[in-house]
Amino acid sequence: MSTAQNNITDFDVVVIGGGIAGLVFTALLADLSATRTPALRIALLESLPPGPMAADAELDLRVLALAPASRAILLRLGLWQLLPAARVSPYSRMCVWQAAGQAGDSRSISFDAAELGEAELGYIVENRALRQVAWQHIKNLKGVSCFTDAAPTKLIQDTDNSTITFTGGQAITAKLVVAADGARSWSRQQLGVEYHERGYGQVGIVSHIITEQPHQATAWQRFLPEGPVALLPLADGRSSLVWSCPDEQAKELLAADAQTFARQLETALDGALGRIECTTPRVSFPLAKGYAKAYTGRRFALIGDAAHRVHPLAGQGANLGLLDAASLAEQLAIHLQLPLADPGDLRVLRRYERARKGDNLLTMGAMDLLNQAFMPPLGEWAGMGMEMVDRLRPLKSRLARYAMGQARDLPAVAQPLID
Ligand SMILES: Cc1cc2nc3c(=O)[nH]c(=O)nc-3n(C[C@H](O)[C@H](O)[C@H](O)COP(=O)(O)OP(=O)(O)OC[C@H]3O[C@@H](n4cnc5c(N)ncnc54)[C@H](O)[C@@H]3O)c2cc1C
């Protein structure tokens, strides 16, 4: 096991899952509680830590569109500054259009950072690079022990503690368990939390592509009756494709040779960026939405995809997880300044749940609505709706600010920084 010292078995907080949500929560809680006496003891458990990454390694297929609020959290932790420039791509425009129209015509809507008085709408960041810098940071944090090469096998809760046992029999205890182990969360199951999941009958196909026309630092998205196809601009001039389509169509697209696939993608995008060439293999993943009925309970809290899973069409999943992480870390850090404060105090955990659940459910509903609105029989109306929103400047600006993570009730650490 691990970088943890063998004599430490009791912790205040254990975080299960070192994805973006778990890593950022751990780093923030350690940072916000740095002056506490006695020092907070945090354990981070991750079954698959990121391996070493060469500077010239091919860009990973999972890239995230991060909102300015997410960047503010990462800046605050000093993680943003460590990201290699080649793995971050700011974008200042978003162009969305419907199957019946063309990019730039009346059945389209575009969002421009300049119109909002902002420098960028968001940033495309490689998930692996972000995890890598977060791991480096956490490994050096005082009070944090990382367990990286042992899977937890048992989680037992009693009144004052939870006990987690690993393969091999070693165990640790903690006063609070934070489940951050993703959509298929093992800890959510162990904690007996009710979880509802529904597949969209769609598959997301991802690949990095070269387009004949430059991407113009723009995120492009076309809503087809079968599902949305999106291109996110990458720093090296390529674009990252996320094509959501029904299972049957996906099978055909994945079986097609690279040229045939590229021609079909050009048609799906109505030639908006000209000829296309795929530069990586195509990878697919099933699309589903899911939500945990409760985010908190006796000595536990769920954050990130362990609590909610949304359609990737507006790139909100990681952003929501980062806001969960910030909100929970903030509530806990304030509470833990009190003498004899218990990290598992349910009243504090409930404050986090109240702060985040509504926003997450609203976003999930909005993703659902958007995904379905452009399918028959509503597609025609959705196109007209888009045209209307494009003309209603205040509404359009409000929508853009919401997507940027600004028109929300933000935790203090997610408030924009002057940098
Ligand atoms: C193709 C694709 C594109 C996406 N694009 C965007 C985007 O543009 N913007 C955006 O905001 N979101 C996007 N998302 C969603 C985003 O990737 C997820 O919402 C986000 O990564 C969830 O982070 P997480 O830390 O909650 O979970 P995860 O990233 O799933 O991390 C969970 C971690 O827990 C570990 N783990 C699992 N089980 C255990 C266990 N039993 N014990 C210990 N550790 C365990 C895993 O190894 C993993 O490291 C996209 C998703 C996909 C699939």
Side-chain angles (χ1 to χ4, degrees), residues 303-320:
I303 60 171
D305 275 19
H308 44 75
R309 181 177 178 189
V310 300
H311 195 293
L313 69 86
Q316 288 295 318
N319 290 300
L320 298 180

Side-chain angles (χ1 to χ4, degrees), residues 16 179-191 195 302-303 305-307:
I16 306 184
D181 47 349
R184 300 252 152 271
S185 174
W186 170 85
S187 39
R188 186 182 61 221
Q189 264 182 354
Q190 301 296 309
L191 293 162
Y195 182 71
L302 269 53
I303 60 171
D305 275 19

Side-chain angles (χ1 to χ4, degrees), residues 210-255:
I210 295 182
T211 54
E212 187 181 7
Q213 316 291 340
H215 57 50
Q216 303 151 55
T218 299
W220 303 85
Q221 178 143 273
R222 188 179 194 212
F223 280 96
L224 298 165
E226 302 80 28
V229 54
L231 297 186
L232 303 174
L234 299 175
D236 61 9
R238 292 183 296 169
S239 294
S240 171
L241 165 72
V242 184
W243 189 350
S244 309
C245 54
D247 299 341
E248 282 308 309
Q249 186 189 0
K251 265 190 213 144
E252 285 171 26
L253 288 171
L254 290 164

Side-chain angles (χ1 to χ4, degrees), residues 191-327:
L191 293 162
V193 180
E194 200 176 320
Y195 182 71
H196 299 270
E197 189 177 71
R198 190 170 65 76
Y200 281 106
Q202 284 176 322
V203 164
I205 301 177
V206 291
S207 175
H208 295 330
I209 63 166
I210 295 182
T211 54
E212 187 181 7
Q213 316 291 340
H215 57 50
Q216 303 151 55
T218 299
W220 303 85
Q221 178 143 273
R222 188 179 194 212
F223 280 96
L224 298 165
E226 302 80 28
V229 54
L231 297 186
L232 303 174
L234 299 175
D236 61 9
R238 292 183 296 169
S239 294
S240 171
L241 165 72
V242 184
W243 189 350
S244 309
C245 54
D247 299 341
E248 282 308 309
Q249 186 189 0
K251 265 190 213 144
E252 285 171 26
L253 288 171
L254 290 164
D257 61 65
Q259 279 74 20
T260 310
F261 178 81
R263 299 299 81 78
Q264 301 211 15
L265 180 55
E266 287 161 11
T267 308
L269 288 163
D270 199 29
L273 292 179
R275 297 278 286 182
I276 286 171
E277 190 191 322
C278 290
T279 62
T280 66
R282 285 154 268 160
V283 169
S284 69
F285 57 95
L287 300 182
K289 69 170 178 181
Y291 64 92
K293 199 155 177 214
Y295 284 14
T296 59
R298 194 176 69 172
R299 300 201 169 278
F300 76 81
L302 269 53
I303 60 171
D305 275 19
H308 44 75
R309 181 177 178 189
V310 300
H311 195 293
L313 69 86
Q316 288 295 318
N319 290 300
L320 298 180
L322 288 175
L323 291 179
D324 292 350
S327 173

Side-chain angles (χ1 to χ4, degrees), residues 36 38 71 89 98 126-127 147 160 166 195 277 298 327 331 379 399 403:
R36 183 177 184 264
R71 176 176 176 263
S89 177
Q98 197 203 4
E126 186 192 20
N127 184 54
F147 294 81
D160 297 327
F166 301 97
Y195 182 71
E277 190 191 322
R298 194 176 69 172
S327 173
Q331 298 289 355
L399 280 175

Side-chain angles (χ1 to χ4, degrees), residues 17 19-21 46-47 62 64-65 131 152 181 285 305 315-319:
I20 295 310
E46 165 57 49
S47 39
R62 168 130 18 150
L64 307 170
R131 283 191 73 210
D181 47 349
F285 57 95
D305 275 19
Q316 288 295 318
N319 290 300

